[in-house]
Amino acid sequence: MSETMSKNDVGLTSTTSRRFWPRWIPTSIDHIIASEKRLLSVVKTGYVQEHVNIGSGPPGSKVRWFRSASNEPRFINTVTFDSKPDSPTLVMIHGYAASQGFFFRNFDVLASRFRVIAVDQLGWGGSSRPDFTCKSTEETEAWFIDSFEEWRKAKNLSNFILLGHSFGGYVAAKYALKHPEYVQHLILVGSAGFSSESDTKSEWVTRFRATWKGAVLNHLWESNFTPQKLVRGLGPWGPNIVRRYTSARFGTHSTGEILTEEESTLLTDYVYHTLAAKASGELCLKYIFSFGAFARMPLLLSASEWKVPTTFMYGFQDWMNYQGAQEARKHMNVPCEIIRIPRAGHFAFIDNPTAFHSAIFYACRRFFSPDPDNEPLPEGLTFA
């Protein structure tokens, strides 16, 4: 694909053509990487993009969940940003229905202090998209945790700070529980997975399921009907649906700093291609969560087993409830802080990047400050 190809050739239709007839836009891994490159053109820090070979499964493995229908090697799409020598390594994992490009507003500032590495999880973004054959919560967790561990081995990383957003926070926490020896610090941003249907706050779900609308939505959930299927099913109308979402969520209905016109266009193009590509990792949804985003194997149950210092971060308007983290902290035997970020919702790193960066540097102060115990919490941030 020519690098001189315009956004309208590969990405979104022009404004004029949208007025008359929406044009269906095919996608592929090549299209995703091209849209990623366009989005990251707003980042000033140099970076290297690579497909890291993680093999076709753990050595000698016969497990169906990883090998899928073939033994072809799998790849994890990875971007590594230029950094100063001896900078601590920060690995970033995206959330559900997202990919590493969502951190585009953060890479420059974070790379000023960290060696930043961002990945697309297996089955997402520009990574390989093998057939999803998991049949249980345990297999589904292994799909993400073990593929990430194979990536770690391929990258020869032994000490790193691990950041996960939303569903990526769930994966990061489960990984740190299984492989704590490699993780120096855990940062969970708007993390999913701490609440279960047994919580008193889930009573509304039970009541809603009793309605016809709730019954229909619950059936769709259990049938693994994902948002991505809707984008694909709408064919030529898919790009416009994505555009409406990004324009609303990060524009008119933003809780913080709205996207510029260029950022909105590039992010919409990127999001469309990542959502419209072959279904793979997205099919994890019903195995990890029940309807209402309640974890089937809540992290709260493992809080006493935590071995890695942890910082939780939540936007003030985050729909994920920070009270789950507060409950987990009661059972954790490692240092734990919960920071709330103002003028921010679930995507705090997009909504209020300045405060988000301050929260990250504060969380990691022991890597930079000669007196971390006396570092004050940056103005505007609050503890929960």
Side-chain angles (χ1 to χ4, degrees), residues 278-350:
K278 175 188 172 182
S280 180
E282 75 192 61
L283 299 176
C284 72
L285 197 59
K286 79 167 188 176
Y287 296 107
I288 299 293
F289 305 106
S290 62
F291 180 64
F294 294 103
R296 298 191 187 276
M297 296 179 65
L299 288 165
L300 186 58
L301 300 179
S302 306
S304 62
E305 303 169 28
W306 230 263
K307 294 182 175 64
V308 177
T310 302
T311 303
F312 295 93
M313 296 181 186
Y314 293 88
F316 271 38
Q317 288 79 39
D318 199 328
W319 65 271
M320 284 291 181
N321 197 329
Y322 68 89
Q323 292 173 340
Q326 288 180 316
E327 186 61 31
R329 181 172 56 187
K330 297 176 183 177
H331 306 281
M332 292 169 66
N333 299 309
V334 293
C336 172
E337 294 175 331
I338 304 172
I339 298 175
R340 299 189 68 197
I341 299 172
R343 299 184 305 283
H346 191 51
F347 292 92
F349 45 89
I350 295 178

Side-chain angles (χ1 to χ4, degrees), residues 72-85:
E72 65 185 28
R74 313 299 182 199
F75 299 88
I76 296 293
N77 184 41
T78 306
V79 288
T80 303
F81 291 84
D82 296 344
S83 61
K84 298 176 182 176

